[in-house]
Each structure stands twice: as C-alpha cells, then as structure tokens.
Amino acid sequence: MGILWMIVIVLLLNGLVFPSLTGRKIVPTDYGTFIEKVDSGLVKTVVVENGQIYFTTQKDGKKEMAYQTGEVNDPGLVDRLLGASSPNSNGKIAFSHIAPKDNSPILNFILLWILPGLLFYIIWKQSSKAFRERMGGGNFMSFGNSGAKIYADSDITTTFADVAGQDEAKDALREIVDFLHNPKKYAEIGASLPKGALLVGPPGTGKTLIARAVAGEAKVPFFAISGSEFVQMFVGMGAAKVRDLFKQASQKAPCIIFIDEIDAIGKKRDSSFGGNDEREQTLNQLLTEMDGFDGRKGVVILAATNRPETLDAALLRPGRFDRRIQMELPDLEGRKAILEVHLKNVRHEDVDLGIVARATAGVSGAELANIVNEAALRAVRMGRKSVTTADLEESVETVIAGAQKKGKVISPEEKRVVAYHEIGHAMVAAMQTHSAPVYKITIIPRTSGALGYTMQVDSNEQMLLSKEELFNRIATLAGGRSAEEVVCGTVTTGASNDIEQATKLARAMVTRYGMSGKYDMMALETVHNAYLGGDTSLACSPETAADIDREVLRVITSAHEKAKKIISENLEGMHKAASYLLEKETITGEEFMKFVAADSKAG
Ligand code: ADP
Ligand code: MG
Ligand code: ZN
C-alpha cells in the first residue's frame, strides 16, 4: 500500500507545475489572434510556460478572459509586449516566463532510482518467499547463499541404530564421530583425521542415510548440499557457493559438511569437447577450500557417490577425500536386519523375515524399505490391522515384478503356453544340481508385462559362482522356451526376457570370467559404472569380437539343448505340474517338487 501512495504523491508533485491561470476556463487560440489582442491593448497578463503562452484580456471592464496559444520563435515579442498598452491600472502588460520547471533533484532521485529499486525488492521478496514455501522449507535455516541446508545439532535424530548392517562403514565412521566429539584428544598428539571421507556404493544402499547418522551421533551442525546444487546457470556462482559453504562451516566448527552426489561436480576434468567451465571452476574451488582449512579444527567433509570411477583424481588424493567407505548391497543377514529396522515402524505379526530376506537377493536397502511399506499398504487394503508374512512376500513380488494385474484377460490357449513355459523353467532348475530351489511359480500377470514367473530362492548366499552354476543358470533360463517347443510345438515372445538374460550371462562367461576354454584368462570386455547397471565395452579386435559372438552362441546353444533334453525326459511331470498350476495359478516350490520327485522316482 505504501508504495501506491508514494506513486500518487509523486505524480501530484509532477502535476503541480500549473500555470498561474488555473481556475479559469482557458480558450485555445492562434498566435496571430494573440498578437492582434496585444496590439489592440486588451491584454492584461502573459505567462509563457512549457512552450505555451497563456494570456488574459479584458474589454471595457467586462469579465477577464483567458486564452492559450503555442509559443513561436518570435524575438520581437518582448518589445511588442513592452510597448503595448493594457487595461491594467499601470497601462502595461504584466508578463512573465516560467522556466520549464525541472523536478527537484531529490524527487528525480526518488523517481529514477529508489522507486524502481523498491519495487524490484518487493517483487523479489514476495517471489522468493513463495519459492521457499513451495520448496517446503521452513524446517531448516537457509544459510548465506550457499544453499546448504544446515541442521542444528538437535535436528537430526538419525543414529547408527537406524542403519542396519554396513558394519565396516559404521566402524570407519565411528572414528570420525569420536574426533568430532573430542578434537582435542587428537590435536594433543598431533594427529589429524582425514579431511574427507567418500561414501561409495550402489544406489539405495544407505549412503545418504549413514551420513545423517554420523551427524546425529556426533551432535554437531550438519551442512547438507547436493552436488547438483553447485552447478549453476551462471559461471562462477558454483565456486562462490563452495567458498560460502566453507566459510560458514569453519565458523561453526566442529561440524560436518555433506556433499551428496558429488560426481555432479567432481567429474574428471579433461580437455575434450564440451568441457564445462562452471563445473571445473566449482571443482577447483572445492579442491582449494579443502586444502585451505586446518584439518584439526574439526570440519569433516563427507561425500557420497555411486560413480567413483568418474571422479577427478585430485579429489581422491591424500589430504582430500582420502578415505573411501564402501557401502555394499546387503547380504542375507544385512537384508534381515534392514527389514527389522523398517518393520519397527509398522505394526506386524510374528513374521518370517528369513523367507523374505532369502527371496530378495541383490535388492538394495531402499527397495527393502519400500517392500515393508508396500506390505503395510497391502495390509490396509485387505482390511487387516497388522502386517503378515504373506503381505511381505506379496510385496516382494510387487517390487520385483510389478503389481498383479487381475483384470487382464488371457485366452485359455495362451494361459496353457505360459503355464508350460514357467513349469519348464522350474523343471530344468529342479533337475540340475548347482541350481537354487524353486520357491514359487505363478501365472498371474504382472503390471511389468510378465505373464508369469518362477521364483528361485537360494537357501544361502553365494559369493562365488562356478562355471557349472552359471551354465545351469543359462539352461534354466532356456527352460521356458524349451517347454514351449517340446510340449506346445511353438515358440512365443514370452521368452524375450529369458533370452536377454541368458545372453548377458553367456557373454560375461566368455568375455569377463575366462570360462570359455578358448580365451584363457584374457579380459575381452571392461565394465563401466559398476554400481549403475554395469555397461560394458569390448576391448579386443573386431575379429575377436566376431569370434566372441560365436563362442557366446555355442554356450547358449548347448544350454538350450540341455534344457530341451531335461524337458523331454520329464514330460509326465511337466503335464501334471502344468495342469495343477493352471488350476491354482500360484503354486509353491514344495507342491511343484511332488511332481518332480514322483516322476524322477518313476523314471
Ligand atoms: P543412497 O544415498 O545410498 O542412494 P539412501 O541413503 O538414500 O541411499 O537410502 C534410501 C533409503 O533406503 C533410506 O532412507 C532407508 O530407508 C533405506 N535404507 C538403505 N540402506 C539402509 C540400511 N542399511 N538400513 C536401513 N535402511 C536403509
Ligand atoms: Mg543418496
Ligand atoms: Zn521365462
């Protein structure tokens, strides 16, 4: 409101430059008439202002009239006015010239500078407030312009107890916590702790979580920022943010700076095309700041990434992120522990975590957290008051294969092919040694597109896989297609995922595991992004590449042959199991094994 009033007042002030004749009706007229009236001695007053001539005339005591005309370049005008007669008492025309009135300098200043400035300030204030509100802020203090969220000591309630498993990582970080509690103890001896520790591991293994836990345990201020927040639209801003962040941190020491997803700024600097000036400047600033501060002060820098191989070597050298803390995908015990941690937050019955943990090999902590939540949602959907083992099992499948698609209509003929396909997988798995037992077979379609699947669950977790085991795995994958061929006399698109996986395995056997007799221990492929899918690129001559393809085909073909042989030899069990599966839609591994056992005993 204040602003509006000010604008009105300024306009009024501007308009105050009135001719002295206001209040009268002013008749516009031409210059000639004006001169005529001057010469005929009728004019009483003349005021020249802003290029206009205002004048009044009076005739024989009649009412005074006011006129206006444009000023023309008439050097003789003054003489003419002086010489003319007038009805005024002294017989002379009263004339004056009002210089075009400049606004006062102060007014000018206000108009030109303060007002627009004020307007901008208000607009900026409003919009940034709206922005902060939209960002859901308010529970953290935004500090300086670094954009780092700083949490006060008491804000973070996460502790190491919330991080299940990951014992090696916790041990490494405990030392840092102790240092933050008691920097003096270290300073007295002259030991300085690593300035930075780099948390490395696949997505969802709890890197961000454990960093917060360190802050929660240490009870010191925690500056959290994501690497991408440094990368700005304008060159130089990122570097300024880094400077600002370290300045704030050194004032708050002891404290923790946490840079999440550091690969966003820490990528290798190179001279190739598309170099990113802004990123490099930011990285340089980060390197400088890390060198610049005294390690004994108690500022510890944690960073997290799932692409450590892309980081610039300068970041990793001693004195910077010299300690690397590895976060792994949880093993069987780890998965159990993570499920336990998350089950604490949901009401549950006595659930068998062993089964769930065994069924989730290779699943990350984040996905396990998701599984528990899905199970809780399912319990609510089913109108139950607590989570059961069945909820958890179902949500494992939901997370791995997508939700059930009950409404999908599949023709009986297709359903039959799907049943034989899945039983084919199960049969090949069951008839081989070195193969994980079948846990569950289902032909309920899933939202992921799978029309059915066979779940195998290892009773214990293997770190090493032998050549036989890998080969058997490929044979199991081929089991689906083999059943289609042998039993239904057809081949379908249902095997596309099996084909993809089988090829991946066979290729890895040949190119990376040295398991084809032909290439001995030669590495034919290198892996990038080990934590993110693991893309590979060939490292051999084109001739070798062509030969690799032949080798891979050889492995797959012999596995396929093996699968077909197993199925043809167990046709009776196949038929029984498939019709049972068609009837029930979902059967357990135990139910399935009855058919296998009966059959192989018979055979
Ligand atoms: P990252 O940063 O490694 O990608 P996060 O730390 O963001 O993974 O983990 C995401 C979520 O997964 C966490 O908030 C937590 O709920 C769950 N989680 C991951 N690992 C663990 C673990 N070891 N213990 C408990 N929960 C975990
Ligand atoms: Mg993270
Ligand atoms: Zn299949």
Side-chain angles (χ1 to χ4, degrees):
M1 257 345 257
I3 282 269
L4 272 180
W5 279 117
M6 224 160 144
I7 293 171
V8 170
I9 289 169
V10 166
L11 289 177
L12 280 176
L13 284 175
N14 229 3
L16 274 180
V17 202
F18 292 141
S20 45
L21 302 155
T22 40
R24 255 175 253 174
K25 191 176 172 237
I26 302 173
V27 184
T29 184
D30 61 283
Y31 195 74
T33 313
F34 166 58
I35 296 297
E36 209 173 88
K37 292 203 191 248
V38 171
D39 287 350
S40 48
L42 294 173
V43 176
K44 285 183 81 173
T45 49
V46 176
V47 175
V48 183
E49 184 191 327
N50 281 346
Q52 295 291 317
I53 299 171
Y54 301 89
F55 64 98
T56 58
T57 61
Q58 198 171 35
K59 213 179 186 175
D60 313 333
K62 277 191 199 158
K63 200 171 154 254
E64 211 173 308
M65 299 285 290
Y67 299 92
Q68 173 194 19
T69 186
E71 190 185 7
V72 294
N73 189 9
D74 180 359
L77 180 62
V78 175
D79 287 339
R80 188 183 289 261
L81 289 174
L82 280 172
S85 60
S86 160
N88 280 335
S89 48
N90 62 359
K92 294 216 178 285
I93 298 176
F95 68 92
S96 60
H97 178 256
I98 299 174
K101 200 168 169 188
D102 252 340
N103 293 334
S104 74
I106 295 180
L107 203 64
N108 247 337
F109 182 72
I110 291 177
L111 270 176
L112 280 174
W113 297 102
I114 300 199
L115 212 71
L118 215 64
L119 274 173
F120 273 116
Y121 177 73
I122 286 178
I123 291 169
W124 174 77
K125 247 325 218 224
Q126 292 293 333
S127 59
S128 67
K129 194 171 136 207
F131 182 69
R132 273 201 306 275
E133 275 162 10
R134 217 170 336 127
M135 299 301 283
N139 51 359
F140 60 86
M141 290 183 278
S142 199
F143 225 82
N145 63 359
S146 70
K149 298 170 194 99
I150 168 173
Y151 300 87
D153 338 7
S154 53
D155 284 356
I156 294 186
T157 49
T158 312
T159 62
F160 281 149
D162 297 312
V163 188
Q166 309 291 4
D167 292 328
E168 296 77 17
K170 277 194 232 171
D171 283 343
L173 290 167
R174 263 198 202 99
E175 195 181 11
I176 290 178
V177 172
D178 186 48
F179 169 69
L180 288 167
H181 275 157
N182 200 349
K184 253 201 205 136
K185 185 169 91 185
Y186 291 79
E188 273 164 11
I189 298 186
S192 56
L193 222 71
K195 281 184 187 171
L198 187 65
L199 296 159
V200 171
T205 43
K207 299 183 294 293
T208 308
L209 182 73
I210 209 168
R212 285 177 64 86
V214 171
E217 294 275 341
K219 302 237 170 297
V220 296
F222 183 67
F223 293 82
I225 191 164
S226 169
S228 59
E229 285 170 57
F230 285 118
V231 182
Q232 297 287 314
M233 185 110 73
F234 302 108
V235 173
M237 289 293 283
K241 274 193 169 189
V242 172
R243 221 174 298 132
D244 183 55
L245 176 62
F246 277 81
K247 205 171 114 209
Q248 306 289 351
S250 63
Q251 283 162 5
K252 290 252 167 187
C255 69
I256 296 169
I257 297 176
F258 175 51
I259 306 175
D260 209 353
E261 316 288 351
I262 195 175
D263 43 286
I265 52 167
K267 275 209 205 84
K268 284 193 185 79
R269 291 162 292 182
D270 51 23
S271 52
S272 65
F273 285 113
N276 183 334
D277 266 353
E278 167 61 1
R279 221 196 59 225
E280 291 195 0
Q281 281 195 21
T282 309
L283 175 56
N284 285 333
Q285 189 66 40
L286 179 63
L287 297 175
T288 315
E289 293 290 346
M290 287 192 78
D291 281 345
F293 73 85
D294 185 355
R296 271 171 256 182
K297 239 190 182 162
V299 180
V300 169
I301 306 164
L302 296 177
T305 181
N306 35 39
R307 304 169 63 190
E309 70 285 343
T310 66
L311 292 183
D312 198 278
L315 262 180
L316 303 173
R317 77 142 168 75
R320 296 201 182 117
F321 291 106
D322 43 7
R323 191 169 282 195
R324 182 187 279 228
I325 295 168
Q326 195 77 33
M327 304 288 284
E328 296 290 354
L329 283 176
D331 58 8
L332 186 62
E333 285 308 309
R335 290 197 296 275
K336 242 189 227 169
I338 294 173
L339 287 167
E340 254 158 34
V341 164
H342 288 279
L343 270 173
K344 269 190 205 129
N345 304 323
V346 299
R347 196 178 321 143
H348 61 93
E349 285 163 20
D350 214 10
V351 293
D352 184 353
L353 284 182
I355 291 179
V356 184
R358 263 185 282 125
T360 46
V363 161
S364 73
E367 283 166 311
L368 290 170
N370 189 16
I371 284 170
V372 172
N373 191 49
E374 285 286 335
L377 290 176
R378 183 172 187 266
V380 174
R381 230 179 291 132
M382 313 282 274
R384 264 186 274 106
K385 290 259 180 266
S386 57
V387 171
T388 62
T389 310
D391 288 330
L392 283 166
E393 284 187 88
E394 177 57 33
S395 70
V396 167
E397 287 170 53
T398 305
V399 169
I400 293 174
Q404 289 187 357
K405 227 162 144 185
K406 284 253 171 64
K408 189 159 175 107
V409 184
I410 299 174
S411 70
E413 182 49 34
E414 277 181 329
K415 202 111 203 163
R416 183 172 162 268
V417 175
V418 174
Y420 274 107
H421 178 109
E422 297 308 332
I423 294 292
H425 285 305
M427 184 61 77
V428 176
M431 296 311 291
Q432 293 179 122
T433 49
H434 306 302
S435 186
V438 175
Y439 179 71
K440 186 174 184 177
I441 310 167
T442 168
I443 49 170
I444 297 172
R446 296 274 159 175
T447 48
S448 66
L451 294 177
Y453 64 86
T454 306
M455 206 167 146
Q456 284 174 272
V457 175
D458 249 322
S459 49
N460 52 2
E461 210 153 50
Q462 277 180 292
M463 293 295 141
L464 292 175
L465 287 169
S466 68
K467 182 178 170 181
E468 288 69 38
E469 281 159 338
L470 280 173
F471 183 77
N472 287 355
R473 228 174 243 205
I474 298 173
T476 303
L477 284 166
R481 164 59 60 89
S482 304
E484 291 173 14
E485 288 170 308
V486 174
V487 182
C488 311
T490 177
V491 289
T492 71
T493 52
S496 64
N497 188 260
D498 301 333
I499 290 174
E500 200 179 314
Q501 286 192 44
T503 310
K504 244 189 214 163
L505 276 180
R507 182 164 278 274
M509 282 174 76
V510 175
T511 60
R512 280 158 45 206
Y513 304 140
M515 285 178 181
S516 89
K518 198 158 178 185
Y519 287 105
D520 201 26
M521 281 186 53
M522 184 175 172
L524 300 168
E525 238 178 24
T526 44
V527 184
H528 319 284
N529 284 344
Y531 297 133
L532 298 171
D535 315 328
T536 54
S537 60
L538 279 174
C540 58
S541 72
E543 292 83 46
T544 315
D547 194 49
I548 289 172
D549 291 340
R550 280 190 287 276
E551 261 320 91
V552 171
L553 181 60
R554 198 180 53 76
V555 173
I556 295 175
T557 312
S558 68
H560 190 177
E561 289 305 323
K562 182 179 181 194
K564 276 200 277 197
K565 185 161 170 282
I566 290 176
I567 286 172
S568 343
E569 284 169 2
N570 291 279
L571 274 181
E572 198 187 328
M574 288 287 298
H575 291 312
K576 279 188 199 153
S579 63
Y580 188 68
L581 177 61
L582 274 169
E583 184 195 329
K584 299 265 177 187
E585 293 213 312
T586 301
I587 62 175
T588 64
E590 279 160 39
E591 286 174 295
F592 169 73
M593 285 314 282
K594 277 186 234 145
F595 301 109
V596 176
D599 194 75
S600 52
K601 253 179 248 155

